[in-house]
């Protein structure tokens, strides 16, 4: 970005110097309009390239929709939609199966904690937050016999 700004400043400086050296008001206007036309053409080219890149990325990100747009005929479009629904259902089943498998392999969460475990966890949390010098937590177990 810095290099482009430097280039732009140099171009503007050069154009201004040329404008100042040009003799006659008509010649100055012709030069100014020629410079504006060139600048507009360059900006249009840059915008066109940026638009094409966005269009290409959009087509990649929405491949199914792009395919739908390029499909000719009503029957072909309906067939494509049905195929995509079937494909989505199949992928959904696979994702659910993977999630179930992943949940089977997770460590069970401990439901019983001892007072010493809780104290250790709280103090580790305080240490992670940089508060271990200022605070210490001690958990005491209460007997309700």
């Amino acid at each position: 970005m810095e290099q482009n700004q430097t280039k732009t400043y140099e171009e503007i400086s050069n154009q201004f110097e040329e404008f100042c050296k040009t003799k006659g008001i008509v010649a100055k206007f012709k030069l100014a309009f020629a410079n504006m036309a060139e600048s507009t053409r360059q900006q249009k080219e840059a915008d066109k390239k940026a638009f094409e890149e966005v269009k290409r990325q959009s087509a990649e990100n929405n491949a199914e929709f792009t395919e739908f747009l390029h499909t000719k005929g009503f029957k072909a479009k309906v067939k494509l939609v049905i195929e995509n629904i079937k494909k989505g259902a199949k992928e959904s089943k696979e994702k659910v199966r993977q999630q179930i498998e992943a949940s089977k392999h997770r460590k069970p969460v401990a439901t019983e904690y001892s007072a010493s475990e809780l104290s250790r966890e709280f103090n580790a949390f305080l240490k992670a937050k940089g508060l271990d010098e200022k605070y210490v937590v001690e958990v005491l177990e209460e007997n309700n016999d």
Side-chain angles (χ1 to χ4, degrees):
M1 181 80 180
E2 185 72 29
Q3 186 180 10
N4 289 341
Q5 286 180 335
T6 305
K7 183 179 177 185
T8 303
Y9 293 139
E10 289 174 8
E11 288 176 10
I12 291 171
S13 178
N14 292 338
Q15 288 174 359
F16 185 70
E17 284 180 29
E18 187 179 352
F19 178 80
C20 290
K21 291 177 183 176
T22 302
K23 304 290 184 197
I25 190 77
V26 174
K28 285 185 188 268
F29 273 107
K30 283 184 180 180
L31 179 62
F33 285 121
N35 288 341
M36 285 189 280
E38 178 63 21
S39 176
T40 303
R41 186 189 64 72
Q42 289 174 351
Q43 186 61 48
K44 184 177 178 182
E45 286 297 318
D47 290 346
K48 187 176 179 181
K49 287 179 183 176
F51 178 73
E52 289 299 322
E53 178 61 22
V54 168
K55 196 168 135 180
R56 183 191 62 75
Q57 284 181 334
S58 178
E60 286 177 9
N61 294 342
N62 301 304
E64 291 176 349
F65 183 69
T66 304
E67 183 181 6
F68 177 80
L69 290 176
H70 293 290
T71 301
K72 303 291 182 198
F74 181 74
K75 286 183 180 180
K77 287 187 185 237
V78 169
K79 185 177 178 180
L80 180 64
V81 168
I82 292 171
E83 287 174 9
N84 285 338
I85 290 171
K86 288 179 183 178
K87 181 180 167 187
K90 200 179 288 183
E91 288 174 357
S92 176
K93 283 182 185 178
E94 182 63 25
K95 286 180 184 176
V96 168
R97 189 188 65 71
Q98 289 173 353
Q99 289 172 347
I100 291 170
E101 285 298 316
S103 69
K104 287 180 182 178
H105 298 294
R106 288 191 188 128
K107 292 182 180 178
V109 178
T111 55
E112 297 284 329
Y113 288 102
S114 69
S116 63
E117 287 174 320
L118 288 172
S119 292
R120 189 175 58 250
E121 291 293 324
F122 278 122
N123 288 317
F125 172 77
L126 291 172
K127 185 174 185 177
K129 297 295 181 181
L131 300 170
D132 59 325
E133 297 291 324
K134 192 172 183 179
Y135 301 103
V136 175
V137 175
E138 184 179 344
V139 178
L140 301 172
E141 191 171 333
E142 188 176 293
N143 290 328
N144 291 334
D145 291 328

